[in-house]
Amino acid sequence: MTQRLFGSLSTENFLEQHWQQKPLLVRQAVDTAGLDIDPAELAGLCCDTEAPSRIVIEQGETPWQMKVGPFEEKDFTSLPATHWSLLINDIENYLPELRAFIEPFRFLPDWRIDDLMISYATNQGSVGPHLDEYDVFLIQLQGQRQWSITEKPDFDDSLLTGTDLKILQNFQPDQQWDLLPGDMLYLPPGVPHHGVALGECMTLSVGFRAPSSAELVQSWLDDIADNEAFRGRFSDAKRQSQADSGEIAQQDLAGLKAILMQGIKESSDSLDAWLGKYLTEGKRPDPALLEAFDIQARDDIPALLTEADYQRFPGTRLAYITGENQISLFVGGLEFSLDHKHLKAVQYLCREQEYLAPALASLCSDPAMRELLNTLINNNKIVLMEHYPCDLDTGQSPYS
Ligand code: SIN
Ligand code: CO
């Protein structure tokens, strides 16, 4: 699928010169031949699942109107002929064939990759000029889209009022390109851009994640509040009487700070494990996907079946940390400690989406791996592949 992902640039040069720094346009970066996604199928997906979706209409009921999915058929029949887009996040969970578009970007760690977002636009459809907080690779899949950007650091960042969408009201582009199928535009965070469909088109965004410092600290604090180290309470038996009751005395400050410092010190020992769990925690599973994989209906605990093919439940994140004494494998927020001798098996599980019967049989010759796989299957992190949810080739959706 990759033709020349970064054109004449090597991956190393891309990382050195562009990643998080500078936009890059690559003509014919990926091969999109043979890909034929039916917009009606995307619309059906937004009606029959909880795939995160939105419709953005320019000059709808308001200058920029946004409707959030799930949708009903009538939401699509009442749309104008032009100037609207349908955007669906996490599309790789619903159209697994699109996962191939993530593969070339796995020179970056999986935990940095957020999702694939597909957008279908009618002629002149766009989401308005804006900027994103994350890196994005915009791949033109079908039709043409005109992208305009500005690299001026002193751009006017004032936003349009009267809409929930963050649209730049005085966007002044200094570069513009028409992207054809296979062309790709990389944008680092914070670069103002505007993509307008020239006729009907489809664009795929490979989106990245980078937790904000505030998010990271808040989530960690939420977690350590439950820690044993914070079970105690400030105490001050045998304190001296205080001359002025308004003062927070140095001795009290020291006692209060000691609680914080001690708690933080003790929780710091498990920081790697917390990060591994935090970075692999998944979103709430879509009930439509649970149903498609026959998970909700089942009340027995699934066990590993020999000679069956498995796959990750869509959206399940895996990652590992190599420690001094062991490997910690993280699967959807769960932690498993394994011996270093299991490194290859752990790497295989983290690398693949599909785990075929022969590979599983060979892994299961090791009792620790067999137990791990059983636990993952019991927890529906790995599921039987026979319930494959969607068949893009025939254009059929099992949801409709
Ligand atoms: C789109 O695909 O229409 C918008 C993507 C973006 O601007 O980030
Ligand atoms: Co954007």
Side-chain angles (χ1 to χ4, degrees), residues 154-182:
D154 58 347
F155 66 89
D156 180 348
D157 62 358
S158 51
L159 298 177
L160 209 65
T161 50
T163 169
D164 289 342
L165 291 163
K166 289 190 173 162
I167 295 179
L168 296 166
Q169 62 173 348
N170 298 316
F171 176 60
Q172 299 284 349
D174 51 32
Q175 291 164 80
Q176 194 169 72
W177 308 275
D178 292 351
L179 267 69
L180 301 172

Side-chain angles (χ1 to χ4, degrees), residues 210-223:
S212 74
S213 308
E215 241 166 60
L216 200 60
V217 170
Q218 186 60 57
S219 306
W220 183 54
L221 288 176
D222 288 348
D223 183 73

Side-chain angles (χ1 to χ4, degrees), residues 345-400:
V346 164
Q347 287 173 331
Y348 162 78
L349 291 174
C350 291
R351 188 175 58 243
E352 303 296 332
Q353 295 290 319
E354 297 177 358
Y355 311 111
L356 302 186
L360 290 179
S362 131
L363 284 185
C364 284
S365 58
D366 183 299
M369 288 315 292
R370 192 182 175 87
E371 193 189 320
L372 169 72
L373 287 167
N374 242 320
T375 309
L376 296 180
I377 290 164
N378 290 170
N379 284 279
N380 295 315
K381 304 289 183 199
I382 293 181
V383 291
L384 275 173
M385 224 163 83
E386 68 192 35
H387 302 292
Y388 209 55
C390 203
D391 187 347
L392 189 67
D393 296 336
T394 60
Q396 284 171 2
S397 160
Y399 308 115
S400 49

Side-chain angles (χ1 to χ4, degrees), residues 85 87 117 119 126-127 130 132 136 138 145 147 193 195 203 205:
S85 308
L87 304 103
M117 180 185 80
S119 69
S126 100
V127 295
H130 66 281
D132 297 310
V136 66
L138 298 152
R145 188 186 286 273
W147 285 100
H193 55 284
T203 305
S205 304

